Structures are given as C-alpha cells and as structure tokens.
C-alpha cells in the first residue's frame, strides 16, 4: 500500500516538472507584469525614477477629458462593429450552411482576413480607404460621391468599423456555422410538416436557437473591442488622427507610457480599462442572461 | 522510464533558464580573446550588402564599418545590432535596462537622460580635448539636454546621422506653368504667390495640379516654423518640468492663419498624408512640398529623374538666425555599458570621413553627413540642391524643441488638426493647447 502511494506521488511530481516551464513563464511574463503595473499605478514613474503619489494618477485620469474621449471612441467603434457585423455574419453563415458545393472553400475565403495579421490587413485598408481606393470605387457604382474616409473624424471611425467587420467576419461566421450545424434537422422537418415556410423556420426556429452564440460573440466582441489598438494605430497613426477620433483607451496607455514616459499614468489607465472591461462584461452577461442560463 | 521523464523535465527547466539568461555573457566567454563592443543601429541599415527594393540601388552593408573599426582596434570585436524605427524609444529603453549594447542611437535622448540611462560625454571630450568643430554648426548643440541633476544643458551624445527638413519643388511643373523657381530662402508670400499660380489645370499636360502639399503628420512643425519666421519662438525651458510654451502667442495665431491660407492649394487629404503619393515620381502633379525630407530627392535621383526636384530652405527667425525642427540621430553611451572608454572611441570614429562618407554613399536615402567635411563629398560639393540640403542643417533650431519629447507635442498636433479640419477656431484650439500643456507641466 505504501509503495502504491509513493508511486502515485512520484507520478504527480513528474508532471509538475513538465508544467514548471509554463508556470514559470506565466509567473514571469504574465503575473509579475500585472502586479508590477498595479504597483506603478500609485507612483509617478518615468521607468527608473519613482515617487509614491497615492491615488493621484487615478484622479488625473478620471478628470482627463482626453481619456474620456478615448472611452467614447472605443465604445462607439465597438458598438457599431458588433451591431453591424454579427447580423451580417449570421446571414452569410446561413447562406453558407445551405450551400451544397464549395462550402469549405467559401468558409476559408471569409476566414482568411481573420488569420491575416491586423497590422498587415490594416495597411492594405489604407489603400482601400484612399480617396481613389477600392471602397470609393465600389460605392461609386451606386452613384455615391467619393468620401475622404480617413480625413474627417466620423468617416475615419466608420472606416475603422468597416475594416474591423471585414477582419472579424470570418470568425463570427465560423462560430455561427458551428451552432447552425448542431441544430437538429428534426425541428425543421416538424415545422415543414406544420406548413411553415423557409423564412418562418429561419426566423422562428433557427434564430432563437442561436441566442447562446450571439451572446458569446457579443461578450467576446466587447472584450476585444475595448482592447482595440493595432488597427487604429495603423489607420490613424500613434495619435489616432484625425483630431484624436481613432484614439482608443489602449492608445492612451501607449502614448502615456512610451510616448511620454509616464508609466504611472499609463498603468493607472490600464487598470481603469481592466475595471471597465470587468464591469461591462458583467453588465453584458446580466443583460443577456448568460450567467443565469449557465 | 520515470528517470527518463524526470530528465526531460529537468532539461526543460534548464532550457528555460538558458533562454532567460544573458546571451551577451555567453558570447563574450566564447570570444574571450577580444573585447566585445555592442553597437545599436536604428533605421533601414543592413549588416550585409543589399539592393533597394524600389530603386534597385546596391547598398554596401555595415560590415565595412565593423571591419574598419576592428582594423584600427585589433583587440576589439564589434557587434552591430540593427533594428527598425518602429517603437524605437521603447525598444532602446528596454535594451539599455537589459544591457544589450554599449553604444546607442538616441534620437529620443531627452527621456533617456531624464532616467539617468546615458553617460555624459563631457568628461571624455575634456580628457581627449576632442575637437567638436569637426561637426557642422549646431549639430552638437542640437542634441544637448539637461539631466535631472544638471543645472544646464550638457552633451550626452554626439551626432551620427544628419537629417533636416526643407522645401522642395518640381522644376518641371514650374517650367510648364512658366513660373520662376523658388529662391533659396523663400518668403511665405513668395510660396503663396507661386502655389496659387500653379493650382489648376496644367497648361501643358492638361492634368490638374496642386500648387503645394505638406506633411500632415508634421503640420504642427510647419506652423511652428512659420511662427519663427514671424519672430516667434516655441517657448523656453531645458527640462520638461520647467517648460514654458508659447503655443497661443500672437505670432502662433498668425502662423496658423497663414498655414490655412497655404493649405487651400494642397490636396484636401494632405492632413492625413494622402493625395501626395506621386510627389517625387515622374508622374507628380504637385508643384511645391512645403516640408520635405531628403528621401524624396535621393529617391528621385535614383529613379533617373536627375535634378528635377529643387531645394529651398525653411524659414528662420531673424533674431536667432535659426528655424525649423532639429532632427537626426546622435550616439550615446549607456550607463550600463561595460566598456565606456571603448564606446567613446567608437563614437569618435563615427565622425571620421571614412564612416560619414560610407553612410553618404550607401545610405543617403536616410542620412546626411553631420561633419563639415561632408560638404566636400562628391555628390554634395558638386550638386547645388544637395549642398543646400546639407547646409540647411546648420540653421535648424537648437537645442531642439524639447516639448516634442513628450505630451505637449501631441497636444499641439491635436490642436493643429482641429484647426485644419475647421472643428475649432484657431484661437480656441491654441488656447486649449497652451492650457493643457501648462496643466501637464504642473503635474510633472
């Protein structure tokens, strides 16, 4: 009996050894920076010289108009990205789901932008959004005058919304398709027997069964949207031009940290962002009843 | 089997430890016959020979500089660490903290000196009685900064790469419109007059021409330069915590008005750096670039356009005999360097004709000579446009605008963007910028 226990313990220890590199990596590169950043948020720090200032960084951020502008920009872009992107992805996914041929090929086509690095695809979008670019040529087909997408604050934000939807559409489609394919066909057949049309089946049976997926996409979309940085950095530069319209919360953190060497302010802003994401996720889960259903 | 799995586990930990250890020490031990000097290069520099992807020009690699220094100092093993401009301040700071090099290229010097990361070079200059007159006027002064314990500006770095901004113009478009070329030191009225004449349908090509364009990302610097020509200055102060900016002075307000007047002859999207892509190419449709860099000129020469593009100097403040944002890249020694004396020898070496001429001949698309000898190099002495370009480096504002090293730079740029977009009045935008800067300084 003693031998068996010893054997089991040895066995466990071995696997702890295997886990050790990962755990060390997590402690060093994830846990330590998180804690260090929290500590820094109470200091005035340029990276090497520090002075404890209590909650002053947090007070500064809460009273800073520019910070609240970044909050507005971030929420605005993310809200419309999800509002437009998820329904379009749902419609496309339903069409793909009905296809008899080339289903995988079309899925791959939509998924390519998602696996392309954001910086690379955003750089290409600089040309798409150019006054004589692809997007203006496209809307020109419908008689719409060319738009200087990146010149004005509102159009620059909408240019970003278009880009982020183009980029994320593949992910939305794959997730939605996974759910569509798990819906029992018996439900459709029963409805057909009852005389329901295809549209009625789609609206009254398929769509309600997708609620869980929509909730998942909304919550994940908000979390990643609130951390938006790479795409707006490429499209609007480090300052989120024009007129700070593409300046997001993470952009604020980046500028204060690496543009001005105000690491205390940047760390405090990072924790405010963390709080915003946490609160917003709880609100999202409550509103969509996900927590309750889980 | 158990022993084997334990060994594998132990090996993983050792691998992780090795990965996290300082690689420099390992290479130093491996090469203990010589002293290792590690030098950082920022920019599009290659260790080996390469070919420019756009112009097809062959460029010799930095190995030539390495070999020459090792020839002069046979006991030294020079190791170059090359990196791009993206996030260079962050990367340099990280490299200094982790002691990755001895000599650093530090265009973002203010923030690094503020953190006591760089050695003052003054003791070395004094010790060797080093002659600073080898550098072009203003090149040393431009990089002087005050550290947290300094009462006045000091030399923490010496110039390596020269850079400047100037006005350029397309001589072909001037000829087509029958307009006289810009003078070497044009006035604002001259630029406005000629830009207005050349905005419209080109009488020869029948295509639409813009009289002027500007660098949107640097629009605030253009307004500051106009401000200087009106007798204004950016402000005073040698440390960020002591800044006193004059963003809402009468001359700044007038300068912004003048800039708006000029901008009407530019592509509407110039603010976001769109619409001027053809400038510098054979298909150009813009007469004057209000704020250009040397890359345009040298790329056009490499594209076979000869001297089609002319150069004029930026405006100056007559009282101070200087104007325009100081730019370039100096070299400094980190406080963590294990070989500061050798690093100093390397910095002196970079002012030699050998290094400056090599850089000029192979990398003139990203650097100009910083020494007076550079004015005699082939391709500079015999080319009036390029000569003006190098010479203009001597009139840049020194010490460089310290407000650009931190938040006030972004504040002013934001104000200028709002002015150009018409979302704020000039007075409101500049008053807001001044107040935000004062609040920021008070918080330092």
């Amino acid at each position: 009996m003693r031998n068996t226990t010893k054997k089991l313990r040895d066995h466990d220890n071995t696997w702890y050894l295997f886990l050790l590199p990962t755990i060390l990596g997590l402690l060093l590169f994830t846990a330590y920076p998180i804690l260090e950043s929290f500590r820094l948020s109470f200091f005035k720090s340029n990276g090497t010289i520090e002075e404890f200032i209590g909650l002053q960084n947090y007070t500064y951020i809460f009273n800073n108009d520019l910070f609240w502008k970044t909050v507005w920009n971030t929420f605005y872009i993310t809200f419309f990205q999800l509002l437009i992107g998820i329904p379009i992805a749902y419609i496309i996914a339903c069409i793909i789901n009905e296809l008899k041929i080339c289903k995988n090929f079309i899925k791959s086509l939509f998924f390519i932008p998602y696996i392309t690095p954001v910086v690379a695809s955003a750089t290409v979008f600089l040309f798409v959004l150019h006054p004589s670019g692809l997007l203006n040529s496209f809307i020109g087909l419908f008689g719409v005058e060319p738009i200087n997408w990146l010149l004005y604050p509102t159009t620059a934000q909408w240019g970003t919304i278009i880009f982020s939807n183009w980029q994320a559409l593949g992910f939305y489609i794959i997730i939605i398709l996974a759910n569509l394919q798990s819906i029992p066909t018996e439900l459709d057949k029963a409805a057909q027997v009852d005389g329901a049309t295809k549209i009625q089946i789609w609206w009254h049976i398929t769509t309600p069964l997708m609620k869980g997926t929509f909730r998942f996409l909304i919550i994940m979309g908000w979390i990643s949207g609130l951390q938006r940085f790479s795409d707006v950095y490429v499209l609007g530069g480090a300052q989120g031009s024009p007129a700070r319209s593409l300046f997001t919360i993470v952009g604020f953190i980046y500028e204060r940290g690496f543009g001005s060497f105000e690491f205390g302010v940047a760390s405090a802003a990072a924790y405010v962002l963390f709080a915003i994401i946490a609160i917003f996720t709880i609100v999202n889960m409550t509103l969509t009843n996900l927590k309750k259903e889980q | 089997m158990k022993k084997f799995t334990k060994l594998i586990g132990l090996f993983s930990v050792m691998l992780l430890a090795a990965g996290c250890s300082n690689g420099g020490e390992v290479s130093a031990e491996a090469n203990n016959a010589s002293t290792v000097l590690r030098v950082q290069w920022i920019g599009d520099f290659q260790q080996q020979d390469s070919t420019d992807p756009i112009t097809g020009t062959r460029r010799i690699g930095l190995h030539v500089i390495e070999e020459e220094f090792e020839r002069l100092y046979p006991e030294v093993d020079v190791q170059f660490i090359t990196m791009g401009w993206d996030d260079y301040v962050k990367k340099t700071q990280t490299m200094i903290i982790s002691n990755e090099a001895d000599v650093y290229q530090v265009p973002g010097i203010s923030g690094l000196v503020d953190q006591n990361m760089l050695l003052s070079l003054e003791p070395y200059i004094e010790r060797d009685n080093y002659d600073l007159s080898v550098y072009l006027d203003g090149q040393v002064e431009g990089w002087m900064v005050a550290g947290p314990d300094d009462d006045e500006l000091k030399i923490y770095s010496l110039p390596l790469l020269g850079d400047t901004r100037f006005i350029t113009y397309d001589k072909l478009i001037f000829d087509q419109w029958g307009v006289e070329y810009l003078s070497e030191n044009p006035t604002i009225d001259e630029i406005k007059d000629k830009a207005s004449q050349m905005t419209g349908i080109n009488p020869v090509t029948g295509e639409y021409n813009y009289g002027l364009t500007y660098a949107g990302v640097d629009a605030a610097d253009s307004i500051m330069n106009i401000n200087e020509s009106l007798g204004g200055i950016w402000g005073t102060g040698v440390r960020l915590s002591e800044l006193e900016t004059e963003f809402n002075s009468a001359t700044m307000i007038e300068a912004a008005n003048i800039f708006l007047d000029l901008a009407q002859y530019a592509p509407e999207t110039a603010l976001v750096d769109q619409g001027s892509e053809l400038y510098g190419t054979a298909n150009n449709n813009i007469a004057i670039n209000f704020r250009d860099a040397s890359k345009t000129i040298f790329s056009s020469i490499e594209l076979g356009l000869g001297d089609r593009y002319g150069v004029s100097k930026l405006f100056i403040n007559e009282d101070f005999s200087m104007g325009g944002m100081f730019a370039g890249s100096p070299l400094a020694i980190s406080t963590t360097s294990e070989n500061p004396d050798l690093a100093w020898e390397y910095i002196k070496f970079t002012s030699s004709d050998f290094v400056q001429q090599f850089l000029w001949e192979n990398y003139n698309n990203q650097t100009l000579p910083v020494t007076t000898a550079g004015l005699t190099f082939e391709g500079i002495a015999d080319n009036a446009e390029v000569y003006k370009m190098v010479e203009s480096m001597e009139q840049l504002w020194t010490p460089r605008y310290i407000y650009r090293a931190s938040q006030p730079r972004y504040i002013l740029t934001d104000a200028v963007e709002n002015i150009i977009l018409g979302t704020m009045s000039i007075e409101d935008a500049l008053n807001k910028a001044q107040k935000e800067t004062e609040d920021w300084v008070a918080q330092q």
Side-chain angles (χ1 to χ4, degrees):
Chain A
M1 185 63 190
R2 192 176 290 165
N3 279 343
T4 316
T5 313
K6 190 173 184 301
K7 271 180 189 173
L8 266 174
R9 197 179 297 133
D10 278 352
H11 183 75
D12 287 345
N13 287 344
T14 306
W15 289 107
Y16 278 125
L17 266 178
F18 276 109
L19 283 174
L20 201 56
T22 309
I23 290 170
L24 277 176
L26 282 172
L27 286 174
L28 274 172
F29 303 117
T30 305
Y32 169 70
I34 288 172
L35 294 173
E36 174 64 5
S37 179
F38 187 64
R39 186 190 69 80
L40 269 179
S41 70
F42 299 104
F43 284 80
K44 186 173 132 185
S45 166
N46 64 6
T48 49
I49 300 167
E50 294 178 348
E51 180 194 343
F52 181 76
I53 54 167
L55 292 171
Q56 274 184 37
N57 286 328
Y58 288 96
T59 316
Y60 173 78
I61 284 167
F62 286 125
N63 291 313
N64 187 295
D65 291 344
L66 182 59
F67 178 76
W68 291 112
K69 184 171 186 173
T70 66
V71 173
W72 166 256
N73 290 341
T74 312
F75 272 78
Y76 182 91
I77 294 170
T78 307
F79 176 77
F80 284 106
Q81 176 196 340
L82 297 177
L83 186 71
I84 295 167
I86 294 175
I88 291 176
Y90 178 48
I91 293 165
I92 295 172
C94 290
I95 294 168
I96 293 173
N97 197 39
E98 293 298 314
L99 289 177
K100 302 291 178 218
I101 52 165
C102 296
K103 192 186 270 191
N104 287 333
F105 173 71
I106 293 172
K107 268 196 286 187
S108 307
L109 272 186
F110 278 104
F111 203 64
I112 286 171
Y114 185 71
I115 55 169
T116 307
V118 177
V119 173
S121 43
T123 305
V124 172
F125 244 72
L126 281 174
F127 297 98
V128 174
L129 298 172
H130 192 275
S132 48
L134 199 65
L135 189 56
N136 274 347
S137 303
F138 177 71
I139 62 174
L141 297 175
F142 305 98
V144 180
E145 288 291 308
I147 297 168
N148 290 328
W149 288 98
L150 296 177
L151 180 60
Y152 302 106
T154 308
T155 52
Q157 287 176 332
W158 277 94
T160 307
I161 291 165
I162 292 169
F163 165 75
S164 50
N165 270 323
W166 171 82
Q167 223 255 338
L169 208 60
F171 174 72
Y172 298 160
I173 289 172
I174 294 293
I175 299 291
I176 292 169
L177 266 175
N179 195 355
L180 282 174
Q181 286 163 4
S182 68
I183 296 173
T185 50
E186 289 81 1
L187 293 174
D188 281 12
K189 284 174 184 163
Q192 277 171 2
V193 169
D194 290 340
T197 63
K198 282 208 162 190
I199 294 287
Q200 283 172 325
I201 293 169
W202 181 74
W203 185 246
H204 294 292
I205 295 176
T206 311
T207 304
L209 288 170
M210 296 300 296
K211 273 183 188 169
T213 302
F214 293 149
R215 286 170 192 149
F216 169 78
L217 289 176
I218 289 169
I219 289 167
M220 295 309 288
W222 271 109
I223 292 172
S224 67
L226 290 173
Q227 297 176 51
R228 165 167 278 112
F229 176 65
S230 306
D231 52 355
V232 287
Y233 183 87
V234 174
L235 295 174
Q239 257 197 265
S241 296
R244 298 284 201 183
S245 59
L246 299 183
F247 201 46
T248 58
I249 305 173
V250 180
F252 181 91
I253 295 168
Y254 180 84
E255 183 179 289
R256 290 307 173 111
F258 302 111
S260 304
F261 295 107
E262 296 174 88
F263 292 106
V265 174
S267 298
Y271 270 87
V272 173
L273 172 63
F274 170 74
I276 290 173
I277 291 176
I279 292 166
F280 207 70
T281 305
I282 293 167
V283 170
N284 265 328
M285 289 174 82
T286 311
L287 288 178
T288 55
N289 291 323
L290 185 63
K291 210 173 169 183
K292 203 169 152 187
E293 284 183 17
Q294 275 177 340
Chain B
M1 185 62 189
K2 269 191 296 180
K3 274 188 181 175
F4 176 73
T5 48
K6 277 183 182 174
L7 271 174
I8 292 283
L10 194 63
F11 185 62
S12 307
V13 176
M14 284 167 67
L15 270 182
L16 184 75
C20 294
S21 70
N22 187 334
E25 284 173 21
V26 175
S27 64
E29 279 170 19
N31 197 0
N32 55 10
S34 55
T35 309
V36 176
L37 181 72
R38 298 156 304 163
V39 179
Q40 179 214 40
W41 283 84
I42 311 177
D44 189 17
F45 296 102
Q46 306 288 330
Q47 178 72 13
Q48 300 304 326
D49 299 353
S50 60
T51 303
D52 188 296
I54 297 172
T55 63
T57 307
R58 187 88 178 136
R59 303 194 197 285
I60 298 170
L62 297 178
H63 63 89
V64 172
I65 294 180
E66 193 178 297
E67 286 156 12
E68 176 64 8
F69 191 75
E70 287 175 350
R71 187 185 68 76
L72 295 170
Y73 297 85
E75 76 285 5
V76 178
D77 173 23
V78 182
Q79 294 176 359
F80 287 159
I81 304 161
T82 54
M83 57 180 251
W85 282 111
D86 53 310
D87 290 337
Y88 68 91
V89 176
K90 179 173 66 172
K91 287 176 184 168
T92 302
Q93 189 174 356
T94 309
M95 284 178 73
I96 293 176
I97 290 170
S98 57
N99 190 21
E100 287 294 317
D102 299 288
V103 180
Y104 290 89
Q105 203 178 309
V106 287
I109 186 169
S110 303
L112 301 173
V113 170
D114 245 2
Q115 299 174 69
N116 284 325
M117 287 183 159
L118 303 177
L119 289 179
S120 167
L121 299 185
E122 292 191 352
Y124 294 98
I125 293 167
E126 261 180 53
R127 187 192 70 188
D128 293 0
N129 200 17
Y130 184 58
D131 182 12
L132 296 176
S133 67
V134 297
Y135 295 103
L136 288 166
D137 281 352
Q139 283 296 306
V140 174
E141 293 77 8
W143 295 113
M144 288 174 75
V145 288
D149 305 321
D150 298 331
D151 297 325
E152 55 185 13
L153 295 170
K154 281 190 172 173
I155 301 174
Y156 281 87
S157 65
L158 286 176
L160 166 73
L161 310 178
D163 193 11
T164 182
R165 296 293 180 273
F166 36 82
I167 301 159
T168 59
Y169 56 95
D170 186 338
K171 292 176 184 171
L172 181 64
I173 291 184
F174 273 68
D175 290 341
Q176 288 166 343
W177 284 88
V179 175
E180 195 181 332
Y181 295 157
L182 285 182
S183 57
E184 184 174 332
N185 296 293
T187 61
I188 290 163
D189 286 340
E190 180 187 344
I191 291 176
K192 191 179 166 188
D193 178 44
K194 290 178 177 171
S196 68
Q197 286 182 53
M198 291 180 284
T199 301
I201 302 296
N202 185 306
V204 176
T205 63
E207 288 178 356
Y208 190 86
N209 283 172
Y210 294 97
L212 171 143
T213 190
Y214 59 92
V217 72
D218 292 340
D221 295 323
S222 290
I223 290 182
M224 187 58 74
N225 187 226
I226 298 172
N227 171 48
E228 287 161 350
S229 77
L230 301 171
I233 58 170
W234 67 265
T236 53
V238 295
R239 260 188 227 94
L240 291 170
S241 55
E242 297 166 358
L243 278 187
E244 286 184 27
T245 54
E246 297 183 16
F247 290 163
N248 60 346
S249 66
T251 50
M252 272 296 278
I253 291 169
E254 193 182 343
N257 269 310
I258 291 170
F259 187 82
L260 282 186
D261 266 358
L262 291 169
Q264 65 181 306
Y265 305 114
E268 193 185 0
T269 46
L271 177 65
V272 284
D273 291 326
Q274 289 182 333
S276 310
E277 291 85 355
L278 294 176
Y279 195 83
T281 70
N283 301 319
N284 174 40
N285 60 342
I286 297 168
I288 301 167
N289 190 332
F290 194 58
R291 185 181 181 80
D292 206 354
S294 56
K295 193 173 182 177
T296 304
I297 299 296
F298 294 122
S299 294
S300 71
I301 292 171
E302 288 174 357
L303 286 168
L305 299 176
D307 64 347
R308 175 167 160 180
Y309 288 88
V311 173
S312 295
K313 292 177 183 171
L314 292 180
F315 313 117
I316 59 166
N317 180 319
E318 296 290 347
D319 297 334
F320 294 87
S321 300
M322 55 187 180
M325 185 196 77
F326 187 87
S329 264
L331 289 181
I333 305 169
S334 73
T335 46
T336 52
S337 169
E338 288 156 14
N339 301 301
D341 287 347
L342 191 56
W344 166 243
E345 292 302 318
Y346 177 82
I347 289 178
K348 284 193 292 182
F349 165 71
T350 59
S351 70
S352 66
D353 287 359
F354 179 86
V355 174
Q356 289 296 314
Q357 191 149 8
F358 169 82
L359 291 172
W360 162 246
E361 286 171 358
N362 292 283
Y363 295 96
N364 64 15
N365 61 334
Q366 47 187 319
T367 174
L368 294 170
V370 291
T371 56
T372 51
L375 289 166
T376 64
F377 292 165
E378 192 182 334
I380 296 176
D382 53 359
N383 186 323
E385 305 301 339
V386 179
Y387 192 89
K388 267 187 277 182
M389 203 189 294
V390 179
E391 206 181 35
S392 75
M393 287 166 57
E394 295 191 299
Q395 69 171 41
L396 299 175
W397 196 276
T398 62
R400 67 198 204 118
Y401 307 150
I402 192 165
Y403 73 88
R404 285 187 102 264
S406 200
Q407 201 57 30
R409 168 191 183 172
Y410 306 114
I411 292 171
L412 183 62
T413 302
D414 185 31
V416 166
E417 286 187 357
N418 277 300
I419 289 169
I420 297 171
L421 288 170
T423 46
M424 288 180 89
S425 73
I426 291 174
E427 285 79 4
D428 286 351
L430 293 178
N431 284 336
K432 181 171 172 272
Q434 178 66 19
K435 180 168 185 320
E436 283 181 5
T437 303
E438 284 169 4
D439 290 347
W440 181 84
V441 171
Q443 187 233 345
Q444 296 309 297

